[in-house]
Amino acid sequence: MNPVIVAIDGEASTGKSTQAKKIAEELDFDYRDSGAYYRALTLYLIQNNINSNEDISQTILDKIDLKQTFKDNKLIIYLNNEDVSDKIRGYKVSINVSSYAKKSEIRNFVYTQLRKSAKSNSLVIDGRDIGTVVFPDADFKFFLFADSKVRAERRHKQINDKSVKLESIEKEIKTRDNTDSTRKIAPLKKADDAYEIDVTSLSIIQVFDKILQKINSK
Ligand code: DC
């Protein structure tokens, strides 16, 4: 049987990765977090003082080895064999990732990783352009969106750090969505054939049920 691809795209902080992991577990598929690849590349480039307005040479990219593993509902990402799963969620990476993710050499690096993974495994992948560019023929496509205030509140609760202001989280989310959806290459946008879900007032389980129902009805 050919590997099955489930693409879950959408705005920042709409719970895409939560859903993607749950669906992967339910279907016994592997899971890839495309954003985590962009974040790990950003971390490496920042650590090595390579600015997002410079060209990133193949020589530099050849020094980067990324790996994701998914087990027991947990995704681990390795950057040159170091587990960077927590580091890539930090503020510095979050505010810089969109400027690196605009670059074609960075995007091609991630596309190669994702397409390689899909050769042998059925996958659930979350991101921004999975259903539009990376796997335009994906078997199932979803697009999640929500009110930015609600997204910021959810993220704020998750972070659980009173020193981080709700307003600054909302600003970061909006700025990132704006950069991601206005970039020239592979912008954040719904694929014409994706099933849209407004998650503003839905619980995790309600969104999960909608996705699963859609998959089971095909
Ligand atoms: O899913 P995330 O918030 O961890 O993604 C971080 C950033 O990576 C996001 O703001 C833009 C970029 N990204 C992208 O350009 N394309 C994807 N398929 C996934 C993420």
Side-chain angles (χ1 to χ4, degrees), residues 34-35 38-39 89 97-98 101 107 127-129 176 180 183:
S34 62
Y38 291 102
R39 285 172 179 272
R89 305 287 161 196
V97 58
S98 291
R107 301 206 72 78
R128 305 295 190 285
D129 61 341
R176 210 140 56 84
D180 293 342
R183 71 178 170 228

Side-chain angles (χ1 to χ4, degrees), residues 104-199:
S104 60
E105 58 273 40
I106 296 286
R107 301 206 72 78
N108 287 332
F109 187 99
V110 176
Y111 295 170
T112 303
Q113 299 271 330
L114 292 170
R115 290 179 181 141
K116 223 193 285 166
S117 302
K119 284 222 164 94
S120 48
N121 293 312
S122 287
L123 289 179
V124 183
I125 311 168
D126 75 291
R128 305 295 190 285
D129 61 341
I130 307 304
T132 49
V133 176
V134 194
F135 294 105
D137 297 327
D139 303 82
F140 301 98
K141 298 182 187 179
F142 298 91
F143 189 87
L144 310 190
F145 65 100
D147 178 79
S148 63
K149 210 170 213 88
V150 172
R151 290 186 279 146
E153 279 163 4
R154 287 181 187 161
R155 173 64 72 86
H156 193 243
K157 256 195 210 141
Q158 256 171 18
I159 295 175
N160 196 22
D161 177 350
K162 293 258 168 6
S163 68
V164 183
K165 288 219 171 69
L166 180 64
E167 297 72 42
S168 62
I169 294 179
E170 190 179 357
K171 192 168 160 229
E172 184 251 305
I173 285 175
K174 278 186 167 168
T175 308
R176 210 140 56 84
D177 274 351
N178 184 47
T179 315
D180 293 342
S181 51
T182 55
R183 71 178 170 228
K184 285 205 193 88
I185 316 172
L188 158 68
K189 75 167 196 225
K190 185 185 109 49
D192 291 338
D193 52 350
Y195 179 64
E196 251 183 321
I197 308 178
D198 179 353
V199 304

Side-chain angles (χ1 to χ4, degrees), residues 30-32 67-71 74-78:
D30 207 348
Y31 163 59
R32 290 291 177 269
K67 204 170 86 205
Q68 293 193 6
T69 61
F70 178 60
K71 209 174 155 215
K74 197 170 153 53
L75 179 99
I76 301 180
I77 176 147
Y78 298 92

